[in-house]
Amino acid sequence: MEPGKRGLTMTAVAVVCAITVLAAPGPAFANPSPTPSPTASPSNAPSLPPNKDLEAVHKKLDRLYHDAAVATDAYNAAEEKAKEQSTEIVELARKIVQGQRRLDDLKDRAGAAARAQYRTGGLPPEARLMLSDDPQQFLNGAGRVLQGQRATKGLIGEMTRTQHDLEQYAKDASAQWEKLEAGRKAKAAAKKKIKQQIAAAEKLESQLEKQEKKRLAELERQAAYQAQTAWLDTGILKEITGKASTPGKKAVAFASAQLGKPYEWGAEGPDTFDCSGLTSQAWAAAGRPVPRTSQEQWKQLQHIEVADMRPGDLIIYFDDASHVGMYVGDGAIVHAPRPGRTVTIAGAGTMPILGVVRPDA
């Protein structure tokens, strides 16, 4: 096998083999969000004696889980890019294999022409034509010689173009592989940070006594209740009158059917979900695919005023768009909160709202 041919073939094989190193999926996140009644009144607010130590723990847990949420979005984004890049590499490998076969065929045809010339004594067609004593044969042969020249020129041109294409495919595949490798490192770094943040949060919680854990849970419920009440007190619920679209109803039905399933970072179901895994799968089930991460959902989907939202719309939370929930009506969302929690219903105002997006605008 010629060096150039062998190199291109090895490139195709290497490209195909590279796909097998893609990392297995991990689990995207959310800040902790308790589940108060969306329309609860202030008179029912739970009371809890002040406890500065537990409040500090609560805030620290919030920060740890929030940082895990941000890292999870980075992990999921890297995972999505890896899928796209691996698909591109596979397509380039297919083109390389097909191009190599085409080049082999062209070389065989060129070799056949050379062997035919050898069998005629090595004389080119023009020389053999000039030696002919038959005028008619001369005229007929002149046309064939012209056709042969054009065919030879076309064959050489096609071989050159095919060789060039193969070289370009190999360069493109190499570039995609470099991107894939960079993404793998980014994903590994994000995964490490997720585990670190969750481990720190779990360690902190494990140091609490049983009664302290109960009081901490009560603190979380109280904070969520106060946030939801403040949101409702703006009168926003009177303005939100939108009805769900047909795809929106399907998305809400899918998300609601997942209630009680555990949160797992990077998970897209069917048994576990993270926040954007739940919303992306719900809208995929409704026939309207959306970006995988909460940050990309915020960037790519149409923004809607909070007062104009309807069931099925996605509410994006926190300034860094690190959490997402699906509005289901009556001031409530369904979402996958954070590690250690399950898919649940919560007040839409229990976390700082960045904005609302509509997948089926």
Side-chain angles (χ1 to χ4, degrees), residues 85-151:
Q85 290 159 354
S86 63
T87 298
E88 179 66 19
I89 289 174
V90 169
E91 177 61 20
L92 287 168
R94 185 186 65 80
K95 289 180 178 180
I96 289 174
V97 172
Q98 290 181 341
Q100 188 63 62
R101 289 173 179 170
R102 178 61 178 161
L103 186 61
D104 290 344
D105 177 64
L106 292 171
K107 289 181 176 180
D108 287 343
R109 288 165 57 187
R115 289 191 294 274
Q117 181 175 334
Y118 176 79
R119 287 194 296 272
T120 59
L123 292 175
E126 295 90 337
R128 294 199 308 274
L129 183 61
M130 295 301 296
L131 294 175
S132 174
D133 294 329
D134 187 341
Q136 186 60 46
Q137 182 181 358
F138 180 88
L139 293 175
N140 293 339
R144 288 194 298 272
V145 167
L146 182 59
Q147 291 176 352
Q149 289 175 337
R150 290 173 178 171

Side-chain angles (χ1 to χ4, degrees), residues 198-217:
I198 294 177
E202 291 175 343
K203 181 179 180 180
L204 181 60
E205 290 179 303
S206 70
Q207 294 171 348
L208 298 175
E209 299 293 338
K210 184 176 181 180
Q211 283 301 113
E212 289 178 319
K213 290 181 180 179
K214 288 183 179 180
R215 292 171 65 82
L216 178 62

